């Protein structure tokens, strides 16, 4: 049995089946020692899910089991989880040191042991110099690290981190990500991280759970999420800049597959570019949505025409946005490309880089040559 | 940085002096009256110069009131004690009942919670006289008329809504996550209430308690109707100075001075909490 197991969990705010359905039928199994990121935009249900695991919100339906015990009916105090809160939630009358040490109170350790552990966590989070200050006299970023320290210092069955690094400066965030991951892995802790920052999710997590509208969209490794998005939402949500998306009608004969995009733009491929299964599936559908990552779009001598709309040099790469098939296609080049707006370019789309989705449901049909 | 001009400061000083004069003059005048006899108080034109006398205070403290029509027994000190007893007990009871209730209303949104809270608040809308007649009948049937318990109970109409609504606001200001953090670290909800919520809402609870005390102390009509002379507080007792031989202004003034002293003392002592409690949120970022 998994270390943490959510089975068909629902959360309604208000009456069951009538109120706001914040989390819908979420099932998830997390192994011991794993770091999992709940990734999604605001209001997608990720924090509600976390709070149900912690016990601050009641699961309206479904079961939650942790370390072999069913915990969804237990009060938070008996679940043995540690949590870092998005709003820090430090105890105002205590110093940072007391706040962090406080989490160890129920563990009943000796003073030297507590001091050693606080020192270790403080060093990890670079807050040694503010240990004797009060929460009201330190910055938001420092409070956030103190709150993170209070969670990490505990030896709990599960560590829940709600947006743990949102207030930190980029450099520090990058350093701490590595250290925290090492700290958690070294001790064999299991952690769930809530974030809307995909870089953070990719850097820290072994697996990412993408949520939207209360529904778990996809749960998999970062590379799986990136390369084989389960649906249109995951495809467009993960990846920066976002995936280019166009509606298409499948046409052509035995020898060729022709994708008819809006405004008379067509993409023609030899039938051999796709496997038989993929060909059969998309032909049967007729109406599809195609997605192409900006990194996979290439300029070519001959290809489909597009008109440059915006050209941005970001210091290490060029983002070119061009009018294409009634929409915008974005491509990324690693050199500084000089292309003034209004110029016509030819773009080439590798069939192996195509993500094909069902136009009606958004569910992925194929990634490149293979069926989803 | 000081941007105010001299003129502005002078005008502000004058305005503040006028306000202080407006509010303090009656108190000051009553303080002077309390050291005068009826004759010097009632002379025309009034004068700031007189021969001070402690006769008014003496009459109140000894309980012997000498008037032109003869000697009269009054129990002013007993009434003062009644005020202390009634107001303190009423506020203590209100805090015991009201603070946990306020916490429940702030933290747990249950079915009908808003309605119950509003109903409690609505006790403050109704004119007391409206409920007094039925209340008198009930109290007589229950044997609660003219008892301290009965009065303290009725005083809950004054204190409880006040404490409930003020303290509730304080609990709502405390981030629930602070409490969650405490609970997840291995403490039950009652420990959380005692160790986190109560101390953080402390200034608010003190302010609400003080306000409730002042309201209870100043109450007149409940005790007038529901209690007899030996259970009545000072507010009602002051009526005794309207005697057959005229109104004893000197004693009334002395009675007022004595009766505002306790509330004034508490207010001065708790000023810091009161300002903090009524103006700032309980928890800052």
């Amino acid at each position: 049995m998994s270390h943490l197991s959510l089975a068909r969990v629902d959360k309604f705010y208000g009456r069951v089946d009538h109120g706001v359905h914040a989390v819908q039928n979420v099932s998830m199994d997390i192994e011991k020692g794993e770091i999992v990121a709940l990734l999604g935009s605001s209001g997608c249900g990720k924090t509600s899910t976390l709070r149900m695991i912690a016990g601050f919100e009641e699961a309206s339906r479904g079961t939650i089991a942790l370390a072999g015990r069913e915990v969804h009916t237990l009060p938070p105090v008996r679940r043995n989880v540690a949590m870092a809160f998005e709003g820090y939630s430090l105890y105002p009358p205590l110093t940072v040191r007391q706040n962090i040490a406080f989490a160890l109170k129920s563990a009943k350790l000796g003073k030297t042991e507590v001091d050693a552990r606080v020192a270790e966590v403080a060093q990890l989070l670079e807050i040694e110099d503010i240990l004797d200050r009060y929460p009201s006299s330190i910055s938001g970023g420092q409070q956030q690290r103190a709150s993170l320290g209070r969670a990490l210092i505990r030896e709990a069955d599960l560590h829940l981190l709600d947006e743990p690094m949102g207030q930190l400066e980029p450099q520090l965030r990058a350093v701490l990500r590595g250290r925290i991951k090492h700290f958690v892995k070294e001790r064999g802790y299991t952690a769930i991280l809530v974030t809307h920052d995909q870089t953070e999710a990719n850097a820290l997590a072994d697996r990412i759970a993408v949520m939207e509208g209360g529904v778990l969209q996809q749960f998999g490794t970062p590379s799986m999420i990136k390369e084989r998005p389960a649906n249109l939402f995951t495809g467009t949500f993960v990846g920066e800049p976002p995936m280019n998306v166009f509606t298409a009608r499948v046409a052509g004969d035995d020898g060729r597959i022709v994708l008819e995009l809006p405004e008379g733009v067509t993409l023609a491929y030899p039938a051999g570019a796709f496997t038989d299964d993929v060909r059969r599936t998309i032909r049967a559908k007729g109406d599809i949505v195609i997605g192409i990552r900006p990194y996979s779009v290439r300029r070519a001598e001959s290809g489909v025409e597009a008109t440059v709309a915006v050209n941005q040099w970001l210091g290490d790469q060029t983002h070119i946005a061009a009018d294409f098939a009634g929409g915008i296609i974005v491509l990324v080049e690693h050199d500084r490309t000089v292309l003034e707006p209004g110029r016509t370019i030819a773009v080439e789309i590798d069939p192996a880089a195509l993500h094909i989705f069902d136009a009606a449901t958004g569910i992925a049909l194929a990634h490149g040559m293979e069926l989803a | 940085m000081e941007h105010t001009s001299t003129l502005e400061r002078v005008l502000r000083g004058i305005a503040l002096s006028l306000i202080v004069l407006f509010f303090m003059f009656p108190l000051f005048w009553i303080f002077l009256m309390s050291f005068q006899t009826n004759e010097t108080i009632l002379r025309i034109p009034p004068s700031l110069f007189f021969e001070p006398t402690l006769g008014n205070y003496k009459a109140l403290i000894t309980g012997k009131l000498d008037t032109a029509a003869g000697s009269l027994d009054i129990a002013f000190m007993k009434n003062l004690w009644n005020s202390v007893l009634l107001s303190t007990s009423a506020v203590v009871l209100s805090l015991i009942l009201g603070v946990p209730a306020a916490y429940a209303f702030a933290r747990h949104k249950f079915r009908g919670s808003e309605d119950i809270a509003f109903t409690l608040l609505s006790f403050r809308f109704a004119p007391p006289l409206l409920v007094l007649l039925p209340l008198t009948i009930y109290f007589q049937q229950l044997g609660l008329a003219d008892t301290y318990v009965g009065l303290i109970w009725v005083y809950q109409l004054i204190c409880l809504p006040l404490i409930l609504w003020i303290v509730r606001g304080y609990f709502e200001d405390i981030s629930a996550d602070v409490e969650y953090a405490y609970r997840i670290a291995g403490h039950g909800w009652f420990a959380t209430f005692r160790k986190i919520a109560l101390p953080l809402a402390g200034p608010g609870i003190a302010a609400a308690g003080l306000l409730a005390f002042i309201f209870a102390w100043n109450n007149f009509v409940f005790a007038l109707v529901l209690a007899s002379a030996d259970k009545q507080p000072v507010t009602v007792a002051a009526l005794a100075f309207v005697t057959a031989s005229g109104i004893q202004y000197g004693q009334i003034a002395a009675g007022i001075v004595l009766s505002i002293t306790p509330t004034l003392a508490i207010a001065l002592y708790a000023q810091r909490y009161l300002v903090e409690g009524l103006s700032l949120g309980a928890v800052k970022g």
Side-chain angles (χ1 to χ4, degrees):
Chain A
M1 194 178 162
S2 325
H3 187 63
L4 173 72
S5 165
L6 276 69
R8 311 181 67 80
V9 171
D10 274 300
K11 177 68 196 172
F12 291 92
Y13 289 103
R15 276 164 62 211
V16 174
D17 287 328
H18 293 274
V20 179
H21 203 174
V23 174
Q24 304 181 14
N25 200 14
V26 166
S27 297
M28 223 188 277
D29 286 302
I30 295 171
E31 302 305 325
K32 190 160 175 53
E34 254 191 318
I35 302 178
V36 168
L38 293 181
L39 179 66
S41 43
S42 299
C44 71
K46 56 191 196 297
T47 295
S48 290
T49 306
L50 198 73
R51 295 175 87 88
M52 281 192 283
I53 298 171
F56 305 144
E57 297 288 351
E58 200 183 339
S60 307
R61 263 200 295 264
T63 58
I64 301 171
L66 173 63
R69 304 177 298 154
E70 291 224 330
V71 295
H72 58 279
T73 52
L74 296 180
V77 45
R78 292 177 55 204
R79 297 194 184 191
N80 196 23
V81 296
M83 181 160 172
F85 291 84
E86 188 182 4
Y88 328 136
S89 302
L90 300 168
Y91 312 124
L94 303 186
T95 62
V96 170
R97 181 193 303 281
Q98 289 166 330
N99 261 289
I100 296 175
F102 195 87
L104 291 175
K105 231 174 183 177
S106 50
K108 295 193 173 58
L109 300 170
K111 194 181 176 309
T112 36
E113 170 75 13
V114 170
D115 287 347
R117 287 227 220 155
V118 172
E120 183 190 13
V121 170
Q123 196 188 4
L124 176 91
L125 299 167
E126 297 189 6
I127 48 172
E128 297 122 303
D129 51 334
I130 53 156
L131 277 179
D132 294 309
R133 307 257 301 266
Y134 287 91
S136 54
S137 72
I138 59 178
S139 73
Q142 290 169 326
Q143 290 187 45
Q144 186 157 47
R145 280 179 279 156
S147 163
L148 193 51
R150 190 172 61 178
L152 289 179
I153 201 168
R154 279 186 57 201
E155 283 171 3
D157 285 333
L158 185 64
H159 287 75
L160 303 171
L161 313 174
D162 193 357
E163 303 275 5
M165 285 181 260
Q167 291 295 317
L168 305 186
E169 286 163 25
Q171 294 91 330
L172 186 61
R173 202 183 304 183
V175 174
L176 287 192
R177 262 184 219 136
R179 284 195 203 160
I180 290 168
K181 181 161 188 172
H182 180 73
F183 183 89
V184 170
K185 286 288 171 194
E186 196 178 53
R187 283 160 181 76
Y189 292 162
T190 310
I192 300 183
L193 161 87
V194 160
T195 182
H196 59 257
D197 177 355
Q198 37 179 301
T199 320
E200 194 165 296
N202 279 318
L204 270 168
D206 299 311
R207 282 197 290 168
I208 298 176
V210 181
M211 288 187 77
E212 174 63 15
V215 177
L216 179 61
Q217 304 286 338
Q218 192 172 3
F219 186 30
T221 60
S223 63
M224 209 171 121
I225 301 256
K226 187 92 183 243
E227 285 155 25
R228 304 182 63 83
N231 55 36
L232 199 52
F233 175 81
T234 316
T236 49
F237 185 74
V238 178
E240 179 58 40
M243 183 187 269
N244 298 300
V245 172
F246 300 95
T247 55
R249 257 203 82 78
V250 185
D253 46 41
D254 282 348
R256 302 188 317 158
I257 290 275
V258 177
L259 301 177
E260 294 173 347
L261 274 55
E263 301 202 337
V265 177
T266 56
L267 298 171
Y269 299 108
F274 301 95
T275 60
D276 290 348
D277 290 340
V278 173
R279 247 181 358 244
R280 212 172 302 124
T281 309
I282 63 175
R283 277 229 164 92
K285 285 284 176 198
D287 285 313
I288 58 168
V289 173
I290 58 167
I292 318 104
R293 299 259 179 226
Y295 291 93
S296 306
V297 183
R298 247 169 245 115
R299 278 196 295 147
E301 293 295 312
S302 64
V304 194
E305 283 189 353
T307 314
V308 176
V310 184
N311 179 1
Q312 279 182 304
W313 168 243
L314 301 182
D316 57 351
Q317 50 182 240
T318 311
H319 286 192
I320 302 163
D323 293 319
F324 179 81
I328 296 276
I329 192 165
V330 175
L331 54 148
V332 174
E333 295 189 351
H334 291 280
D335 304 319
R336 184 161 195 171
T337 314
V338 183
L339 279 173
E340 52 284 2
R343 264 237 346 235
T344 303
I345 54 172
V347 296
E348 191 179 67
I349 295 164
D350 183 359
L354 273 184
H355 299 275
I356 301 175
F357 304 95
D358 187 325
T361 62
I363 292 170
L365 300 171
H367 302 292
M369 314 275 280
E370 296 165 50
L371 275 184
Chain B
M1 283 217 277
E2 193 65 64
H3 285 298
T4 47
S5 67
T6 318
L7 178 71
E8 207 179 325
R9 253 178 290 157
V10 169
L11 287 177
R12 190 180 291 171
I14 293 172
L16 284 174
S17 309
L18 283 175
I19 292 170
V20 170
L21 202 66
F22 182 79
F23 284 105
M24 294 308 287
F25 183 75
L27 281 177
F28 172 70
W29 198 249
I30 280 175
F31 185 73
L32 290 185
M33 276 167 70
S34 73
F35 293 103
Q36 299 177 55
T37 59
N38 249 12
E39 291 78 60
T40 51
I41 291 169
L42 295 173
R43 75 192 150 170
I44 306 268
S47 166
L48 277 174
F49 303 99
F50 57 88
E51 207 170 298
T53 166
L54 287 173
N56 297 321
Y57 290 98
K58 207 174 128 209
L60 292 179
I61 292 165
T62 57
K64 287 263 184 277
L65 186 59
D66 293 311
T67 67
S71 181
L72 193 69
D73 279 334
I74 50 161
F76 186 80
M77 294 317 281
K78 168 84 173 157
N79 294 127
L80 193 61
W81 165 245
N82 282 345
S83 270
V84 173
L85 180 75
L86 288 172
S87 305
T88 311
S89 318
V91 169
V92 169
L93 182 63
S94 276
L95 286 174
I96 293 170
L97 296 174
V99 171
Y103 184 71
F105 283 127
R107 281 286 177 264
H108 306 285
K109 300 287 175 218
F110 48 90
R111 190 184 302 244
S113 63
E114 281 307 313
D115 298 326
I116 297 171
F118 184 78
T119 305
L120 282 165
L121 182 68
S122 71
F123 293 159
R124 302 280 307 152
F125 308 159
L129 285 170
L130 200 72
V131 291
L132 257 176
L133 185 65
L135 212 56
T136 312
I137 298 169
Y138 284 140
F139 267 41
Q140 274 163 358
Q141 286 170 353
L142 291 168
L144 283 170
D146 197 21
T147 61
Y148 287 124
V149 175
L151 276 180
I152 290 167
W153 188 349
V154 172
Y155 273 29
Q156 298 310 307
L157 282 178
I158 306 164
C159 300
L160 198 55
L162 205 65
I163 285 177
L164 192 80
W165 276 80
I166 296 179
V167 175
R168 177 189 180 180
Y170 280 91
F171 283 134
E172 279 171 352
D173 275 355
I174 302 171
S175 149
D177 281 349
V178 178
E179 291 177 26
Y180 287 142
Y182 193 77
R183 290 181 67 181
I184 208 167
H187 303 86
W189 71 266
F190 188 69
T192 311
F193 172 66
R194 220 161 46 88
K195 292 279 181 58
I196 300 291
L198 276 188
L200 288 181
I205 295 172
L210 185 60
L211 271 184
F213 184 85
I214 292 171
F215 273 71
W217 185 277
N218 288 346
N219 182 262
F220 174 76
V221 73
F222 285 133
L224 176 72
V225 176
L226 291 173
S228 63
D230 67 323
K231 302 282 189 322
Q232 279 169 346
V234 278
T235 43
V236 184
L239 283 180
F241 301 118
V242 184
T243 63
S245 64
I247 299 169
Q248 305 298 315
Y249 290 106
Q251 274 99 17
I252 291 181
I256 290 170
V257 171
L258 285 181
S259 66
I260 63 172
T261 307
T263 42
L264 194 66
I266 298 176
L268 284 178
Y269 170 73
Q271 200 177 27
R272 196 167 53 88
Y273 298 108
L274 205 59
V275 172
E276 193 184 339
L278 292 177
S279 56
L280 290 173
V283 185
K284 282 176 285 175

